[in-house]
């Protein structure tokens, strides 16, 4: 477990990683309209992207 001050120092990095994951998903879903993503329902999309977001939030740097 990391110290709270280390968590705060790493927060911008984790936030950036989460943001890129979400923005990339939105790009493929709404702009590129990549068929595997557009064919998914909300639950399937959350199931697909949630593990990556959780990894970014729990990242040990």
């Amino acid at each position: 477990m990391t110290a709270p001050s280390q968590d705060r120092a790493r927060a911008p990095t984790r936030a950036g990683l989460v943001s890129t994951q979400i923005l990339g998903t939105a790009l493929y879903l709404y702009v590129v309209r990549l068929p595997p993503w557009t064919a998914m329902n909300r639950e399937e999309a959350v199931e697909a992207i949630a593990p990556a977001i959780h990894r970014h939030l729990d990242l040990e740097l």
Side-chain angles (χ1 to χ4, degrees):
M1 181 174 206
T2 58
S5 61
Q6 290 175 330
D7 283 343
R8 276 187 240 111
R10 295 175 180 155
T13 300
R14 288 196 304 267
L17 290 168
V18 169
S19 296
T20 60
Q21 191 73 49
I22 292 170
L23 289 171
T25 300
L27 174 72
Y28 273 85
L29 184 58
Y30 298 110
V31 178
V32 178
R33 302 198 53 79
L34 191 66
W37 277 103
T38 57
M40 287 184 193
N41 63 38
R42 182 180 302 258
E43 290 78 23
E44 291 169 326
V46 169
E47 186 176 320
I49 196 173
I53 291 174
H54 282 276
R55 277 192 302 276
H56 294 321
L57 293 174
D58 293 335
L59 186 64
E60 289 285 332
L61 299 176

